[in-house]
Amino acid sequence: MTDHRIILLCVIPLVAGLVSIALINRKMLSRLVGILSYTLMLGLSLSLVLKITAAPDSESVLVSQMGGWTAPFGISIVFDSLSGLLICAAATVGLGAYIHSFSVINPRTERRYFHPLMQFLMFGVNLSFLTGDLFNLFVAFEIMLMASYALLTIGGSRQQLAQAYKYILLNVLASTIFLMAAGMVYGMFGTLNIADLARIVAEHEAANKELPAGFKSLAVMFLLVFGLKGAFFPLWFWLPDTYYTVPISIAGLFGGLLTKVGVYTVARLFPLIFASDGTSIIQADGTMLGGTSPIIQTILIVAAAFTMFLAVLGAVSQHHVRRILSVHVISQVGYMVFGIAVMTGNALAGCAFYMIQHMVVKCALFLCCGVMEKHAGTDDLDKLGGLLKRDWKLGVLFFIAAMSLVGLPPLSGFFGKMVIIREGFLEGQWYLGVIGLVTGAITLLSMLKIWSYGYWNPAQAPTANKPEAVKTSCKSAYGAIALLVGCALFLGLGAEPIYKVAFRAGEQLENPQHYITAVLGDEAYAKVDQLIEERILAESAEPASAGGSANTSTSGSPITMIQPEQEVHP
Amino acid sequence: MTMILAITVAVTFAVSIYLMLGRELKGVAMGVFLLSHAANLTILAMSGSPVLSEPVETSSEGSAPVQMTSVDSPLMKDPPILATQYTNDQPLAQMVDPLPQALILTAIVISFGVMAFLLTLLVVTNRKTDTIEIDDLAKENG
């Protein structure tokens, strides 16, 4: 369904960013513009999500064709349940990190185009969530990366500069591979539109026709690129050092947002397009179940297992709060990859839910870490202590966020992990499920480490600032943390309505029909339907003539006789 | 022609990776610049442009003004947006698909931006730390 309001989600941060360049010396005004922009984005995305949740399946994908060009030729902006959820979460996280920065950021840093960069980062992130075009996705990534390069080096301390080169070079390399892969997709299929690609793949599946040679290597190239952005094993080495050096509010925003963009693109492109092997099974009710390429699925499974487990071990071995949190980002990405690797609609729904809750919770933890640093002047656990006595409110907020991350039952992390791990067991990936559970236990250990050293430890650490001084100077930081922790509590206690949206997102990823028809028009899927019908007819005719007298008893319904060509989930 | 292009891409990639693995950041920046060139040439080679590959016999008289790929012809030989009115005077086989060129143009602009940022960062690094050697940066950092 066409709805041109969705492009506003990109226009708002862009305009706000441009305006705040002009207001660079007016601190309060540019802060106001920033808050206004985040609030508008949040409100608009929430209202759109409510709209598509209430709509029937056929109208649940909102599309806006840029410049009025028909779909495969222009750029489509697509807003479905998955993008909707992620944009809501991104706007919340952005708002939280932005408000938090008012009380912790260095005034000199703030004047160095901090406000515009925060907006441009959101522009890139929102565009990556919304775009329905592979090349446009590359452009969105570049916008986001340019803003993140600049935010990474903002202030320009020696440590930041040394780390920045690693981050920039890796991302430039990844972008180059992405660019080439996009060019190759165009060379192979003559289109870059994601819906159009999904249509071509679905037609191949329906006809049980092999995809062109080189399709798998393209898939691996894309996986490499998005794996690097999303910090999958073994491409995660850049992350801990990078997040360690930036100002804490920015670390919170990066930790919440940037890796999720990589995971989102994998969730968007792989079940729909690149994990396909061109085969399919016609189910009893006449719907098609696409086959999964065993190689790609194996890569995803291995990546998920190692990302979860090795990263959490890394987190336990760290002794700085920031480093523990940064390494944990990677470990949690493992759960999301787990959800994608299972590749059923429910697992993808769990992945979507886990992504949004992780964005909120992880950002809240980083922001708590910022206030802890204000109290003690350091994030070294050996030098922290007695924070609970000094600032019990922060303790409560941190505890809720930490337990949400671990996934204790009434809190949000539980519901995400539960669905993903349950699907893993149901679909025969029990080893991933076991690793997920063990990782959860070790996550608890490392969170309790921060809790017991930093908060419960009775020894009063040397203070950098008096508790009262911190409490008055960090008012906005407390507000931001409370906002995010409130959202996390809501995600946990009100998981059911959120999951309704998430399950729909999972369905849309598993069965691309509505996505394709929304973008390309109703007739685009006709060929797939026709091919499926032809196959049902052909396959029902075949055994009836060949089987002869041996199995006349089973020839009652043509559909029940169809044998699956291949196991879908090896 | 495609072969020459492929060799050029390979050599450019090799040189750029070699430069990026160096210890001096100036060389690294040059490597980044070359990398984007290699990628752009790859797109040019991959785009199935009729100038580069063998001419393709087309049978598009009276076909729809807009061709869409489908399961029957998964590999694109013709540019997807070509109106029928061109087919008589200028055969499709001699026309260049404009889209890869648009992609390359966008990519050039983006890589230009990244390059500008990287060079600025080099200047700032040199000013702040008096060195643009990776080893020196890492040492004083630790």
Side-chain angles (χ1 to χ4, degrees), chain A residues 537-570:
Chain A
L537 282 177
E539 290 183 24
S540 63
E542 216 169 74
S545 59
S549 60
N551 50 2
T552 41
S553 57
T554 49
S555 59
S557 157
I559 295 160
T560 49
M561 291 177 46
I562 290 157
Q563 298 297 317
E565 281 80 12
Q566 195 189 341
E567 279 285 312
V568 189
H569 302 291

Coordinates of all heavy atoms in Angstrom, one line a residue, chain A residues 537-570:
Chain A
L537 N 0.0 -29.7 -10.6 CA -0.6 -30.6 -11.6 C 0.3 -31.6 -12.1 O 0.0 -32.8 -12.2 CB -1.1 -29.7 -12.7 CG -2.4 -28.9 -12.4 CD1 -2.7 -28.0 -13.6 CD2 -3.5 -29.9 -12.1
A538 N 1.6 -31.2 -12.4 CA 2.5 -32.1 -13.0 C 2.9 -33.2 -12.0 O 2.9 -34.4 -12.4 CB 3.8 -31.4 -13.4
E539 N 3.1 -32.8 -10.8 CA 3.5 -33.8 -9.8 C 2.4 -34.8 -9.4 O 2.6 -35.9 -9.0 CB 4.1 -33.2 -8.6 CG 5.4 -32.5 -9.0 CD 6.1 -31.9 -7.8 OE1 5.8 -32.3 -6.6 OE2 6.9 -31.0 -8.0
S540 N 1.1 -34.2 -9.5 CA 0.0 -35.1 -9.2 C -0.3 -36.1 -10.3 O -0.7 -37.2 -10.1 CB -1.2 -34.3 -8.8 OG -1.6 -33.6 -10.0
A541 N 0.0 -35.6 -11.5 CA -0.2 -36.5 -12.7 C 0.8 -37.6 -12.8 O 0.5 -38.8 -13.1 CB -0.2 -35.7 -14.0
E542 N 2.0 -37.3 -12.4 CA 3.1 -38.2 -12.6 C 2.9 -39.6 -11.8 O 2.9 -40.6 -12.4 CB 4.4 -37.6 -12.2 CG 5.6 -38.0 -13.0 CD 6.8 -37.1 -12.8 OE1 7.4 -37.3 -11.7 OE2 7.1 -36.2 -13.6
P543 N 2.8 -39.5 -10.5 CA 2.7 -40.8 -9.8 C 1.4 -41.5 -10.1 O 1.4 -42.7 -10.0 CB 2.8 -40.4 -8.3 CG 2.6 -38.9 -8.3 CD 2.8 -38.4 -9.6
A544 N 0.4 -40.8 -10.5 CA -0.9 -41.5 -10.8 C -0.7 -42.4 -12.0 O -1.2 -43.5 -12.0 CB -2.0 -40.5 -11.0
S545 N 0.1 -41.9 -13.0 CA 0.3 -42.7 -14.2 C 1.4 -43.8 -14.0 O 1.3 -44.9 -14.4 CB 0.6 -41.9 -15.4 OG 1.8 -41.1 -15.1
A546 N 2.4 -43.4 -13.2 CA 3.5 -44.3 -13.1 C 3.3 -45.3 -12.0 O 3.7 -46.5 -12.1 CB 4.8 -43.5 -12.7
G547 N 2.5 -45.0 -11.0 CA 2.3 -45.8 -9.8 C 1.5 -47.0 -10.2 O 1.7 -48.1 -9.7
G548 N 0.5 -46.8 -11.1 CA -0.3 -47.9 -11.5 C -1.1 -48.5 -10.4 O -1.7 -47.7 -9.6
S549 N -1.2 -49.8 -10.3 CA -2.1 -50.4 -9.3 C -1.5 -50.4 -7.9 O -2.2 -50.6 -7.0 CB -2.4 -51.8 -9.8 OG -1.1 -52.5 -9.8
A550 N -0.2 -50.2 -7.8 CA 0.5 -50.3 -6.5 C -0.1 -49.3 -5.5 O -0.3 -49.7 -4.4 CB 2.0 -50.1 -6.7
N551 N -0.2 -48.1 -5.9 CA -0.7 -47.1 -4.9 C -1.9 -46.3 -5.4 O -2.0 -45.1 -5.4 CB 0.4 -46.1 -4.5 CG 1.1 -45.5 -5.7 OD1 0.7 -45.8 -6.8 ND2 2.1 -44.7 -5.5
T552 N -2.9 -47.1 -5.8 CA -4.1 -46.4 -6.2 C -4.8 -45.8 -5.0 O -5.6 -44.9 -5.1 CB -5.1 -47.4 -6.9 OG1 -5.0 -48.6 -6.2 CG2 -4.7 -47.6 -8.3
S553 N -4.6 -46.4 -3.8 CA -5.3 -45.9 -2.6 C -4.9 -44.5 -2.2 O -5.7 -43.8 -1.6 CB -5.1 -46.9 -1.5 OG -3.7 -47.0 -1.2
T554 N -3.7 -44.1 -2.6 CA -3.3 -42.8 -2.1 C -3.6 -41.7 -3.1 O -3.3 -40.5 -2.9 CB -1.7 -42.8 -1.9 OG1 -1.1 -43.3 -3.0 CG2 -1.4 -43.5 -0.7
S555 N -4.2 -42.0 -4.3 CA -4.4 -41.0 -5.3 C -5.6 -40.1 -5.1 O -6.1 -39.4 -5.9 CB -4.4 -41.6 -6.7 OG -5.5 -42.5 -6.7
G556 N -6.2 -40.2 -3.9 CA -7.4 -39.4 -3.6 C -7.2 -37.9 -3.8 O -7.8 -37.2 -4.6
S557 N -6.2 -37.3 -3.0 CA -6.0 -35.9 -3.2 C -4.6 -35.7 -3.9 O -3.7 -36.4 -3.5 CB -5.9 -35.3 -1.8 OG -5.1 -34.1 -1.8
P558 N -4.6 -34.9 -4.9 CA -3.3 -34.7 -5.6 C -2.2 -34.1 -4.8 O -1.1 -34.4 -5.0 CB -3.7 -33.8 -6.8 CG -4.9 -33.1 -6.3 CD -5.6 -34.0 -5.4
I559 N -2.6 -33.4 -3.8 CA -1.5 -32.6 -3.1 C -0.8 -33.4 -2.1 O 0.4 -33.3 -1.9 CB -2.1 -31.3 -2.5 CG1 -2.6 -30.4 -3.6 CG2 -1.1 -30.5 -1.7 CD1 -3.7 -29.5 -3.2
T560 N -1.5 -34.3 -1.4 CA -0.9 -35.1 -0.3 C 0.2 -36.0 -0.9 O 1.0 -36.5 -0.1 CB -1.9 -35.9 0.4 OG1 -2.7 -36.6 -0.5 CG2 -2.8 -35.0 1.3
M561 N 0.2 -36.3 -2.2 CA 1.1 -37.3 -2.7 C 2.5 -36.7 -3.0 O 3.4 -37.5 -3.3 CB 0.6 -37.9 -4.0 CG -0.6 -38.7 -3.7 SD -1.2 -39.3 -5.3 CE 0.3 -39.8 -6.0
I562 N 2.6 -35.4 -3.0 CA 3.8 -34.8 -3.4 C 5.0 -35.1 -2.4 O 4.8 -34.9 -1.2 CB 3.7 -33.3 -3.6 CG1 2.8 -33.1 -4.8 CG2 5.0 -32.6 -3.8 CD1 2.1 -31.8 -4.8
Q563 N 6.0 -35.6 -3.0 CA 7.1 -36.0 -2.1 C 8.1 -34.8 -2.0 O 8.4 -34.2 -3.1 CB 7.9 -37.2 -2.7 CG 7.1 -38.4 -2.7 CD 6.6 -38.9 -1.4 OE1 7.4 -38.9 -0.4 NE2 5.4 -39.3 -1.2
P564 N 8.6 -34.5 -0.9 CA 9.6 -33.4 -0.8 C 10.9 -33.8 -1.5 O 11.3 -34.9 -1.4 CB 9.9 -33.2 0.7 CG 9.3 -34.4 1.3 CD 8.3 -35.0 0.4
E565 N 11.4 -32.9 -2.3 CA 12.6 -33.2 -3.1 C 13.9 -33.3 -2.2 O 14.8 -34.0 -2.4 CB 12.9 -32.1 -4.2 CG 12.0 -32.3 -5.4 CD 10.7 -31.7 -5.2 OE1 10.5 -31.0 -4.1 OE2 9.8 -32.0 -6.0
Q566 N 13.8 -32.5 -1.1 CA 15.0 -32.3 -0.4 C 14.6 -31.9 1.0 O 13.6 -31.2 1.2 CB 15.8 -31.2 -1.0 CG 17.3 -31.2 -0.5 CD 18.0 -30.0 -1.0 OE1 17.6 -29.3 -1.9 NE2 19.0 -29.6 -0.3
E567 N 15.4 -32.3 2.0 CA 15.1 -31.8 3.4 C 15.4 -30.3 3.4 O 16.3 -29.8 2.9 CB 16.1 -32.5 4.3 CG 15.7 -33.9 4.7 CD 14.6 -33.9 5.8 OE1 14.7 -33.1 6.7 OE2 13.6 -34.6 5.6
V568 N 14.4 -29.6 4.1 CA 14.6 -28.1 4.1 C 15.6 -27.7 5.2 O 16.4 -26.9 5.1 CB 13.3 -27.4 4.4 CG1 13.4 -25.9 4.2 CG2 12.2 -28.0 3.4
H569 N 15.5 -28.4 6.3 CA 16.4 -28.0 7.5 C 17.3 -29.2 7.8 O 16.9 -30.1 8.6 CB 15.5 -27.6 8.7 CG 14.6 -26.5 8.4 ND1 15.1 -25.2 8.1 CD2 13.3 -26.5 8.2 CE1 14.0 -24.5 7.9 NE2 12.9 -25.2 7.9
P570 N 18.4 -29.2 7.2 CA 19.3 -30.4 7.5 C 19.8 -30.4 8.9 O 19.9 -29.4 9.5 CB 20.4 -30.2 6.5 CG 20.4 -28.7 6.2 CD 19.0 -28.2 6.4

